[in-house]
Amino acid sequence: MNRYSISPKKEKFQLPDQKRTEQEIQDIHRKCEEAKRKGKEIVIIQGLGFVGAVMAAVVADSEVDGRLPYFVIGFNRPSISSFWKIPIINKGLCPFKAKDPEIKKIFHRTVTDRENLIATWVPEVFSDADILIVDINLDVVKPEFGNAKKSVVEIQKFSEAIIEIGNRIDPACLVLIETTVPPGTVEHVVQPLLEKCFIRRGIDIVKNPPLIAHSYERVMPGERYIQSIKNIWRTYSATSELAKKMTKKLLANIIDTHQHPLFELPNPTSSELAKILENSYRAMNIAFIYEWTLFAEDIGINLFEIVDSIKVRRGTHDNMMYPGFGVGGYCLTKDPFLAEWASNHFFKRDQHLNFSIEAININDLMPRHTFDLLREGMNFDITGKKIAVLGASYRKDIDDTRNSPTITLYDDITNAQGIPYLHDPYSTMIEQRRDILIHSNLDRVLEQADAIIFVVDHQQYLRLSIRKMMLKISKNACILDAFNVLSDPKIKLLKKHGFRVLGVGKGHIKDL
Amino acid sequence: MNRYSISPKKEKFQLPDQKRTEQEIQDIHRKCEEAKRKGKEIVIIQGLGFVGAVMAAVVADSEVDGRLPYFVIGFNRPSISSFWKIPIINKGLCPFKAKDPEIKKIFHRTVTDRENLIATWVPEVFSDADILIVDINLDVVKPEFGNAKKSVVEIQKFSEAIIEIGNRIDPACLVLIETTVPPGTVEHVVQPLLEKCFIRRGIDIVKNPPLIAHSYERVMPGERYIQSIKNIWRTYSATSELAKKMTKKLLANIIDTHQHPLFELPNPTSSELAKILENSYRAMNIAFIYEWTLFAEDIGINLFEIVDSIKVRRGTHDNMMYPGFGVGGYCLTKDPFLAEWASNHFFKRDQHLNFSIEAININDLMPRHTFDLLREGMNFDITGKKIAVLGASYRKDIDDTRNSPTITLYDDITNAQGIPYLHDPYSTMIEQRRDILIHSNLDRVLEQADAIIFVVDHQQYLRLSIRKMMLKISKNACILDAFNVLSDPKIKLLKKHGFRVLGVGKGHIKDL
């Protein structure tokens, strides 16, 4: 039985059989030996997602005193959903679409030119590692929409990946966790598991305690993808002074620490907590503006210019967010809950992080407000109506659709018997919802649309000619600006031509 | 019957009788006439509180092309609690203690040298005003501690002050509201009231509609008191183009608008909302860190260094707050509620601003956590114990005690049969709680103290010699750092000498 892994570009890759795997184990080990002879350290990245794949390229690309100190191996399990990333990387390509022009260059340079980066599916290679960087996901499942407290942390899968490491690595190998984890995970999960594995393998853990570090990335997919790894502050900590020293050396080799000095925290729990707090702060900031958005709309006020007038106060008020459509992505939609989970599971506290958890709920429910505006704009008659939904990714000009708030709106429209036509210039599919079709032809989506909802501020939408758009859509169409895509003059023009326009945070539209 | 108004420095001022008042009416009117002959505009500031008094001095101090365009009159009602401010200002002194050395100079310069600023208690002078700036308070009373939703907005008192204006001003006078008000107050309260007064006085409000503006200050008592009025952005709006133009001219004359350009918003409600949103954001940011403070303490983590490591991200994360003792002052403790009140009363909405209201509650309850730490540190035995509480004002190095969180802690200690000794280097009393004694002699307060709680990071406390302190306090004293006053080396020293130390947000103390 042949099984295939299919890339977003529809390339088909056969999953490896046992023979090919055995060959791979030999080949990859030989390459490691060769690299070691050249004085290189072997760095393995476990998990080739949005962070791991690019992190692998950045580590492979780092130069110290004119030489390349690392031979990097990207590892991913040969699953149907992910195996394709391995042959793609080995062709010298990035497995993700990205606006950053550096992305293309760095994969070509490290894989093809310098032969310093390869990807593989065989965990046997872990035994060759000097440094193993964990970039796998630790997923949170939300069984109840809008009730984040009921979430489930898939710690079991994460633990299995750690055991896979513990069974193979040399005790001198540094294990650097980059995964966002509940605070306390290194101390309460990773360290005990690695120690158990070491003991089973006859390793004296008093002499050779596992070397474990935590340091979190601040990757931001988009135009500055590579820079968001290399040119940014890094916080780290580790389980011992030796592990801290090794981590510091690695980070100093890949990050511009002159501009962005490293922060060393006293223990891994502090570093883990820092990441969660950082993302929770952002989630809370977004949730905060939500109820003011509803207020501004109801009283006929443009909240955008008000936020502008406040954000000038740098250092105290410039982190304030604008009204928007909702929150997606892998981090803000779950990270506050990881602290709540740690609080219960690791530390047996009976106090809760209610305020931060509530931020997740508010943000999850936000796209429902856009749906309410749609219903209002359509006079509560959506049945059989063609609704153009513009934007599938959760952020401007990227193709990342993980936990996109568009999914909520899409389902709300469908449940109300409307017919959503989803468009995105970057994304071709939503991995977690393969049933949702994404169209790439904007004209086709706009044709005869009864409503148009802008949910992401992609460049293509910002540049859209309103005059041309008006020719394509239904004469009575409702236009809904959920992400400040339309300027006031554009809205005026639409209104002049008889279109009904509504906007999130734009209570002033009725007076335009 | 003689009645007196007593200043914080215990100076006694007799309240004016009718004869003195009649004389004042004549004198002040004559001074206005004189100023007008010199080509000056008459600016009256209604309300000589923390904002009004200093605003009056700043307006009087403004120079345009080498001349002084304004003759300024500070107005305050002749109440027992506030009348003293009038003779104090007329002596060329600031009615408030302030660290800003400019404060002393500006009152001397404007009152004594230039004779450009006087204070009075007679509202008859309103009829001379070209510009009337409203800086009275609009108070919010909270009948239930920790339940901000039950708050009451004293709109009646505010309305009476507006009527006092409407009964006297020339229709061409600009009324500039600087008071923090529920969004919609100019439109729903000030404008109808002034129109009603004008009509009663036979003024044609179609030809002469009242000229009403709203613009909010961002005064911060402390070392940069004056600069916090002059060198900061200003947002404004008004009820007509003429009123906007007049407001813009006034603000441009007193503010450095080259460095801090003005923001004009379309209507007063937007400007009113901006102020409330700005303060609610701050209140929410403080509330957010609270539950993380408890978490960090419980798991043995120092939250301060974690926040430091996150705040480096300018523009997205640098508004994050540090753990602290609580929130006081006149604004953050009530402003989010003003929006909730407006939402109900002016706009009849049935949606609530729950997240923002909850921030008030969390902040109000924060000092109770310090009390919990005290109980823990004292092994739950506070009865009859002498507790030194260091800090009465709500912010570093100022004498402002309005709604200070110290009051909550003080009452909690008293209710638990402990004996609080409160010290502050700046404040001599808490206006709303004259029963609470503030000591100025720190040594006396520390003598034989069974517990010492640092609740404000006044310079005096930061500079305190721990060695000297240890000689004065009880051998088994508990030391509680509620505002990051003690450095780690100081805490180590205290622990070395057998003292029990706890700190808000400082879970790492047990490992020091």
Side-chain angles (χ1 to χ4, degrees):
Chain A
M1 191 183 76
N2 283 330
R3 295 195 308 164
Y4 293 93
S5 172
I6 299 166
S7 79
K9 284 184 177 171
K10 314 291 178 209
E11 292 154 294
K12 259 172 101 175
F13 297 96
Q14 199 178 327
L15 293 194
D17 57 15
Q18 204 189 331
K19 204 180 136 201
R20 211 172 127 208
T21 298
E22 276 163 17
Q23 187 61 48
E24 174 78 1
I25 293 170
Q26 286 182 28
D27 290 352
I28 198 110
H29 179 62
R30 206 189 55 242
K31 282 175 188 164
C32 288
E33 293 287 309
E34 213 172 283
K36 282 181 183 179
R37 271 196 301 276
K38 289 181 189 162
K40 292 186 183 182
E41 286 190 88
I42 310 298
V43 178
I44 295 177
I45 316 280
Q46 185 189 32
L48 297 173
F50 278 86
V51 179
V54 182
M55 182 68 183
V58 168
V59 176
D61 198 44
S62 73
E63 276 186 52
V64 177
D65 302 330
R67 53 180 290 277
L68 304 167
Y70 304 119
F71 181 69
V72 181
I73 299 160
F75 167 84
N76 212 93
R77 287 186 180 206
S79 67
I80 289 180
S81 64
S82 297
F83 175 75
W84 59 269
K85 293 174 191 170
I86 295 165
I88 290 286
I89 290 176
N90 285 335
K91 280 184 191 179
L93 302 172
C94 177
F96 306 105
K97 228 192 250 187
K99 280 221 115 180
D100 185 353
E102 286 300 312
I103 282 279
K104 208 176 161 178
K105 289 181 203 163
I106 200 171
F107 276 91
H108 188 81
R109 189 163 58 236
T110 53
V111 177
T112 313
D113 293 351
R114 296 176 174 173
E115 296 183 331
N116 222 24
L117 168 62
I118 52 172
T120 188
W121 67 93
V122 294
E124 285 76 5
V125 74
F126 291 0
S127 60
D128 286 309
D130 295 297
I131 296 166
L132 199 149
I133 302 177
V134 177
D135 275 324
I136 55 170
N137 287 346
L138 173 50
D139 290 326
V140 171
V141 177
K142 294 180 191 166
E144 276 182 39
F145 180 70
N147 187 0
K149 262 210 179 144
K150 299 275 182 190
S151 302
V152 178
V153 176
E154 298 197 325
I155 197 77
Q156 192 55 35
K157 278 191 201 164
F158 178 81
S159 300
E160 284 161 16
I162 297 299
I163 292 168
E164 196 158 45
I165 296 169
N167 286 340
R168 291 186 164 94
I169 54 163
D170 188 276
C173 171
L174 174 72
V175 177
L176 169 59
I177 314 288
E178 285 204 324
T179 303
T180 304
V181 293
T185 296
V186 163
E187 198 187 319
H188 292 261
V189 176
V190 181
Q191 187 166 355
L193 283 176
L194 291 185
E195 285 178 353
K196 221 164 140 184
C197 293
F198 280 18
I199 290 168
R200 208 161 39 210
R201 288 166 60 197
I203 298 166
D204 179 348
I205 63 162
V206 177
K207 266 196 202 159
N208 293 299
L211 300 163
I212 315 166
H214 181 269
S215 178
Y216 61 97
E217 39 68 33
R218 282 153 165 160
V219 166
M220 191 56 90
E223 286 182 14
R224 298 186 72 257
Y225 206 153
I226 298 290
Q227 290 304 315
S228 73
I229 291 190
K230 285 177 70 168
N231 270 312
I232 197 146
W233 291 269
R234 269 276 187 160
T235 295
Y236 72 96
S237 193
T239 49
S240 66
E241 286 311 311
L242 175 60
K244 283 179 185 170
K245 216 176 123 187
M246 291 168 78
T247 311
K248 187 177 177 180
K249 192 182 151 201
L250 170 72
L251 294 174
N253 282 345
I254 59 172
I255 288 160
D256 180 355
T257 52
H258 289 286
Q259 279 200 52
H260 298 98
L262 298 171
F263 277 85
E264 184 179 301
L265 292 177
N267 46 56
T269 303
S270 293
S271 173
E272 294 162 334
L273 178 62
K275 168 75 175 203
I276 300 288
L277 177 61
E278 186 167 325
N279 282 343
S280 297
Y281 172 75
R282 204 78 179 141
M284 182 271 316
N285 255 337
I286 299 170
F288 167 74
I289 208 70
Y290 178 61
E291 59 191 19
W292 295 86
T293 299
L294 303 189
F295 185 42
E297 287 173 21
D298 286 350
I299 71 174
I301 295 290
N302 179 0
L303 196 55
F304 289 92
E305 58 183 344
I306 290 178
V307 173
D308 276 336
S309 75
I310 297 171
K311 276 170 77 82
V312 291
R313 298 190 69 179
R314 283 186 74 168
T316 56
H317 292 79
D318 56 338
N319 300 167
M320 192 181 279
M321 305 294 287
Y322 293 100
F325 169 60
V327 176
Y330 188 66
C331 304
L332 307 195
T333 50
K334 66 162 177 52
D335 285 2
F337 181 75
L338 292 179
E340 172 76 7
W341 189 88
S343 174
N344 297 335
H345 285 73
F346 295 151
F347 305 104
K348 315 294 176 198
R349 294 174 76 233
D350 47 16
Q351 295 219 48
H352 300 283
L353 290 118
N354 290 332
F355 207 56
S356 301
I357 301 297
E358 187 56 18
I360 304 180
N361 292 335
I362 290 174
N363 293 341
D364 280 350
L365 290 163
M366 267 174 74
R368 195 143 281 174
H369 170 58
T370 293
F371 178 68
D372 288 341
L373 287 183
L374 174 70
R375 286 182 359 119
E376 187 190 327
M378 304 281 289
N379 297 319
F380 303 91
D381 179 20
I382 293 173
T383 309
K385 296 288 162 61
K386 183 181 169 183
I387 319 287
V389 177
L390 306 190
S393 68
Y394 69 88
R395 211 172 140 255
K396 180 177 184 160
D397 295 331
I398 61 166
D399 75 334
D400 190 347
T401 56
R402 290 173 298 171
N403 303 316
S404 172
T406 296
I407 300 168
T408 303
L409 177 64
Y410 188 97
D411 288 344
D412 282 349
I413 293 170
T414 309
N415 290 337
Q417 320 295 335
I419 307 159
Y421 285 73
L422 180 54
H423 172 268
D424 198 280
Y426 304 98
S427 316
T428 54
M429 64 153 184
I430 299 173
E431 177 68 38
Q432 73 210 84
R433 285 290 298 275
R434 296 218 177 195
D435 60 303
I436 297 179
L437 206 64
I438 301 182
H439 303 270
S440 59
N441 187 327
L442 182 57
D443 283 347
R444 197 78 62 76
V445 168
L446 291 175
E447 242 162 37
Q448 297 303 317
D450 298 301
I452 295 132
I453 318 181
F454 294 92
V455 301
V456 188
D457 53 344
H458 288 317
Q459 276 300 338
Q460 187 180 6
Y461 306 148
L462 292 167
R463 288 201 205 106
L464 195 66
S465 160
I466 294 299
R467 288 189 190 280
K468 284 183 189 161
M469 185 185 85
M470 288 191 295
L471 298 175
K472 296 189 186 90
I473 61 184
S474 157
K475 288 271 165 280
N476 302 311
C478 164
I479 320 287
L480 222 157
D481 184 3
F483 218 110
N484 200 19
V485 171
L486 301 176
S487 63
D488 280 1
K490 283 184 177 177
I491 293 172
K492 268 187 192 169
L493 183 66
L494 283 163
K495 286 187 71 179
K496 212 180 100 185
H497 284 80
F499 292 98
R500 181 136 192 217
V501 190
L502 295 104
V504 171
K506 295 186 168 195
H508 67 300
I509 287 181
K510 62 177 176 41
D511 302 319
L512 282 179
Chain B
M1 191 182 75
N2 284 330
R3 293 196 308 164
Y4 292 93
S5 172
I6 298 167
S7 78
K9 283 184 179 171
K10 314 292 178 206
E11 293 156 294
K12 258 172 103 176
F13 297 96
Q14 200 178 327
L15 293 194
D17 56 17
Q18 204 188 329
K19 202 180 139 202
R20 213 172 127 207
T21 297
E22 277 164 16
Q23 187 61 49
E24 173 77 1
I25 293 169
Q26 285 181 29
D27 290 351
I28 198 109
H29 178 61
R30 205 189 56 242
K31 282 176 189 164
C32 288
E33 293 288 308
E34 212 172 285
K36 281 181 183 179
R37 271 197 301 277
K38 289 181 190 163
K40 293 188 182 182
E41 286 191 89
I42 309 297
V43 178
I44 294 177
I45 316 279
Q46 186 190 32
L48 297 173
F50 278 87
V51 179
V54 182
M55 182 70 183
V58 168
V59 176
D61 198 44
S62 73
E63 276 187 52
V64 177
D65 303 330
R67 53 179 290 278
L68 304 167
Y70 303 120
F71 181 69
V72 180
I73 298 159
F75 166 85
N76 211 93
R77 288 184 178 208
S79 67
I80 289 179
S81 64
S82 297
F83 176 74
W84 60 269
K85 292 175 193 170
I86 295 165
I88 289 285
I89 290 175
N90 286 335
K91 281 185 193 179
L93 301 172
C94 177
F96 307 105
K97 228 193 251 187
K99 279 220 113 180
D100 185 353
E102 286 301 313
I103 282 280
K104 206 176 161 180
K105 290 181 202 163
I106 200 171
F107 276 91
H108 187 81
R109 189 164 58 234
T110 52
V111 178
T112 313
D113 292 351
R114 297 175 173 172
E115 298 184 331
N116 222 23
L117 169 62
I118 52 172
T120 188
W121 66 92
V122 294
E124 284 76 7
V125 74
F126 290 0
S127 60
D128 287 308
D130 295 296
I131 296 166
L132 198 148
I133 303 177
V134 177
D135 275 326
I136 55 169
N137 286 345
L138 173 49
D139 289 327
V140 172
V141 177
K142 293 180 192 169
E144 276 182 38
F145 181 70
N147 187 1
K149 262 209 178 144
K150 299 276 181 188
S151 303
V152 178
V153 177
E154 298 198 324
I155 196 77
Q156 191 54 37
K157 279 191 200 165
F158 178 81
S159 300
E160 284 161 15
I162 298 300
I163 292 168
E164 195 158 47
I165 297 169
N167 286 340
R168 291 186 165 94
I169 55 164
D170 189 276
C173 171
L174 174 71
V175 177
L176 169 58
I177 313 286
E178 284 203 326
T179 304
T180 304
V181 292
T185 297
V186 164
E187 198 185 319
H188 292 261
V189 177
V190 181
Q191 188 166 357
L193 283 177
L194 291 185
E195 285 177 353
K196 221 162 140 186
C197 294
F198 280 18
I199 290 168
R200 208 159 40 208
R201 289 166 59 197
I203 299 165
D204 180 346
I205 62 161
V206 177
K207 267 196 201 157
N208 292 298
L211 300 163
I212 314 165
H214 181 269
S215 178
Y216 60 98
E217 39 67 33
R218 282 153 166 161
V219 165
M220 189 58 88
E223 286 182 16
R224 298 186 71 259
Y225 205 152
I226 298 290
Q227 290 305 316
S228 73
I229 290 190
K230 287 176 69 168
N231 269 313
I232 198 146
W233 291 269
R234 270 277 187 159
T235 294
Y236 72 97
S237 193
T239 50
S240 67
E241 286 311 309
L242 174 59
K244 281 179 186 172
K245 215 176 123 186
M246 291 170 79
T247 311
K248 187 177 176 180
K249 191 184 153 201
L250 170 71
L251 294 175
N253 282 346
I254 60 172
I255 288 159
D256 179 355
T257 52
H258 289 285
Q259 278 199 52
H260 298 99
L262 298 171
F263 278 86
E264 184 179 302
L265 292 176
N267 46 56
T269 304
S270 293
S271 173
E272 294 162 334
L273 178 62
K275 167 75 174 200
I276 299 288
L277 177 60
E278 187 167 323
N279 282 342
S280 298
Y281 172 73
R282 203 80 179 139
M284 181 272 317
N285 255 338
I286 298 171
F288 167 73
I289 208 69
Y290 178 60
E291 58 192 17
W292 296 85
T293 299
L294 303 188
F295 186 41
E297 286 173 22
D298 286 349
I299 71 173
I301 295 289
N302 179 0
L303 195 56
F304 289 92
E305 58 183 344
I306 290 178
V307 173
D308 276 335
S309 76
I310 296 170
K311 277 170 78 82
V312 290
R313 299 190 68 179
R314 283 186 74 167
T316 56
H317 292 80
D318 55 338
N319 300 166
M320 191 181 278
M321 305 293 287
Y322 292 100
F325 170 60
V327 176
Y330 188 67
C331 305
L332 307 196
T333 50
K334 66 163 176 52
D335 285 2
F337 181 75
L338 293 178
E340 172 75 8
W341 189 88
S343 174
N344 297 336
H345 284 74
F346 295 151
F347 304 105
K348 315 293 177 200
R349 294 174 77 231
D350 47 16
Q351 295 219 49
H352 300 283
L353 290 117
N354 290 331
F355 208 56
S356 301
I357 301 297
E358 186 57 17
I360 303 181
N361 292 334
I362 290 174
N363 294 340
D364 280 350
L365 290 163
M366 267 175 74
R368 196 142 282 175
H369 171 58
T370 293
F371 178 68
D372 288 341
L373 287 183
L374 173 70
R375 288 186 353 121
E376 188 191 327
M378 305 281 289
N379 297 319
F380 303 93
D381 179 20
I382 292 173
T383 309
K385 295 288 162 61
K386 182 180 169 184
I387 319 287
V389 177
L390 306 189
S393 68
Y394 69 88
R395 212 174 139 254
K396 182 178 182 156
D397 296 331
I398 62 166
D399 75 333
D400 190 347
T401 56
R402 289 174 298 172
N403 303 316
S404 171
T406 296
I407 301 168
T408 304
L409 177 64
Y410 188 96
D411 288 344
D412 282 350
I413 293 170
T414 308
N415 290 337
Q417 320 295 335
I419 308 159
Y421 285 75
L422 179 55
H423 172 267
D424 198 280
Y426 305 97
S427 316
T428 54
M429 64 152 183
I430 299 173
E431 178 68 40
Q432 73 209 81
R433 285 290 297 275
R434 296 217 176 196
D435 60 304
I436 297 179
L437 204 65
I438 301 182
H439 302 270
S440 59
N441 187 328
L442 181 57
D443 282 347
R444 199 77 63 77
V445 168
L446 290 176
E447 243 162 36
Q448 296 303 317
D450 298 301
I452 295 133
I453 317 181
F454 294 92
V455 302
V456 187
D457 54 342
H458 288 319
Q459 277 299 339
Q460 186 180 6
Y461 306 148
L462 291 167
R463 289 203 204 103
L464 195 66
S465 160
I466 294 300
R467 287 187 192 281
K468 284 184 189 159
M469 184 184 87
M470 288 192 295
L471 297 176
K472 297 190 185 88
I473 61 184
S474 157
K475 287 270 164 282
N476 302 311
C478 164
I479 320 287
L480 221 156
D481 184 4
F483 218 111
N484 200 19
V485 171
L486 302 176
S487 63
D488 279 1
K490 282 184 177 177
I491 293 172
K492 267 187 194 170
L493 184 66
L494 283 163
K495 287 187 69 179
K496 212 180 101 186
H497 283 80
F499 292 98
R500 180 136 193 215
V501 190
L502 294 103
V504 171
K506 295 188 168 194
H508 67 301
I509 287 181
K510 64 175 174 44
D511 301 320
L512 283 178

